[in-house]
Amino acid sequence: MNSNYTFPEGFIWGAATAAYQIEGKAAGDPMGLSIWDTFCKRESAIKDGSSGDDACRSIDFHERDIDALNYIGANAYRFSVSWPRLFPKEGGEVSPAGVDYYSRLIDDLLGNGITPFITLYHWDLPQYLEDKGGWQNRETAFAFADYAKKVVGLFQDRVEHWMTFNEISTGLGKGYRDGIFAPGLRLQGRELANVFHHAALAHALAVREIKTLAPTNQAGIVCDPLTPVPLLEDEEHIEACRKAYSAWSGYWLDPLLQGTYPEDYAGLPDIKEGDMDLLAPEIDFLGLNIYSGIYVRAGGEQGFEAIEFPRDYPSAHDLDWMKIVPPALYWGPRFATERYGADSIFITENGYSTDGALGKAETCNDLDRIHYIKHYLMHLHRAIREYGNIEGYFCWSLLDNFEWSEGYTKRLGLFHTDDKTFERVPKLSADWYRAVIRHNAIV
Ligand code: BG6
């Protein structure tokens, strides 16, 4: 096959999921509650009143997930482990049922030549920790480091790639500032700054644990900075984007990745002695989740202006934040590389949402998803040509799943999940992505 868009040899092609979004609960499951179990019970918290109680029932059908990965020919799978599944009680022993589940999953992945990439925290904090203040409580950072140490200890013989957090900005921002994700709080000022600071601390402590226990393992974090895209590609507008990048995300990215707080923000969280020395340990890779971007031009008081999207600008169905901006997959890695000197980057999420109300046949005829991913990949290809530090791409998501506060009203999978039989059916995009992987090129 002829393609102008061939990827480097050994490029990692995968798909991603998260525990609460796919696992469900087994009958008589000994797992503990997470903040999402609690949050889903709140009136109007979830668009369709649903929860992740069933989700895709991967807890019963993980072989089907492996089949799906094999179908597309993925060489890697990004999934998360659930803290309350592994540690149902505070200070308690690890759950043998939880260990058994992840152990079988890891073995089956490896047996099929699929490299596991594990996220330690994809938003499902144990409720017992939230009862003590959750991420508002500094002690949660230490609890997380201890949890990370135990999980890595359990699986490091078979798993090499670890991600501490998924999207601190969205997970904690929507959960502790906007009140629309678990635990549904609306904090401001110092209280909110502490939440982000504790997460930065937790990440740092966990990386230290991982590298002490398994020095040859790869430790990283998955971030989702807003991506500015220059309206015109000239130095003036690119410089404006750099300013926007820093203004929009510096307050949570800088402490994570360079161990500093921006000047106009420093001092806001409660920083204890020694904290700043701990922050931003060296990591082996940076994960970026990029779905959209914001067009920016030079001007205004801060030296940049975000250009408002017109009301009819194309976005994924009914998902206002998912504006379709393919160049974001070039500028996102570029700005992260420039600002934080990232040597190794994975695109840990990128994907497209369709309307959950569509029937199965229409859902599977997802030409729009192919269109979306294809154009994003073209821009990623440019970033690889220019920077050479991008090692892999994970499509979000492998399966249609529980989409947080959207419930099941949105579908982002390469595979349709039947809500009664939990059968996974490949969409057109799964066939297309499989060809991309087979040819290691955009087709
Ligand atoms: C990312 C998350 O922010 O976006 C995923 O890491 C999530 O867990 C995905 O599913 C899609 O977002 P939403 O809001 O449609 O669920």
Side-chain angles (χ1 to χ4, degrees), residues 21 122-123 166-167 289 291 319 321 349 396 403-404:
Q21 295 183 270
H122 202 124
W123 307 350
N166 178 68
E167 297 190 0
N289 290 356
Y291 291 85
L319 202 54
W321 65 263
E349 285 182 32
W396 184 275
E403 284 294 343
W404 308 114

Side-chain angles (χ1 to χ4, degrees), residues 182-194:
L185 300 178
R186 290 180 193 274
L187 307 177
Q188 292 176 347
R190 184 179 293 261
E191 283 184 329
L192 181 63
N194 281 341

Side-chain angles (χ1 to χ4, degrees), residues 186-307:
R186 290 180 193 274
L187 307 177
Q188 292 176 347
R190 184 179 293 261
E191 283 184 329
L192 181 63
N194 281 341
V195 163
F196 286 109
H197 183 63
H198 297 154
L201 206 55
H203 159 73
L205 294 166
V207 168
R208 206 170 58 172
E209 294 293 358
I210 297 170
K211 297 305 278 187
T212 307
L213 206 64
T216 58
N217 274 201
Q218 307 275 300
I221 181 164
V222 172
C223 296
D224 61 330
L226 293 171
T227 303
V229 171
L231 179 65
L232 297 176
E233 199 174 324
D234 64 18
E235 205 32 56
E236 194 193 0
H237 296 291
I238 296 172
E239 191 47 33
C241 283
R242 292 192 186 104
K243 291 182 180 138
Y245 196 77
S246 157
W248 292 339
S249 303
Y251 72 97
W252 67 273
L253 263 188
D254 289 356
L256 275 178
L257 301 179
Q258 60 185 28
T260 59
Y261 277 103
E263 257 171 46
D264 52 353
Y265 186 81
L268 204 51
D270 293 312
I271 299 173
K272 300 262 188 289
E273 211 188 317
D275 281 8
M276 297 311 289
D277 299 331
L278 282 174
L279 294 186
E282 207 176 304
I283 50 175
D284 300 298
F285 65 91
L286 175 65
L288 291 175
N289 290 356
I290 299 175
Y291 291 85
S292 189
I294 300 172
Y295 284 99
V296 161
R297 67 178 157 216
E301 268 176 30
Q302 294 173 282
F304 71 88
E305 279 173 354
I307 303 168

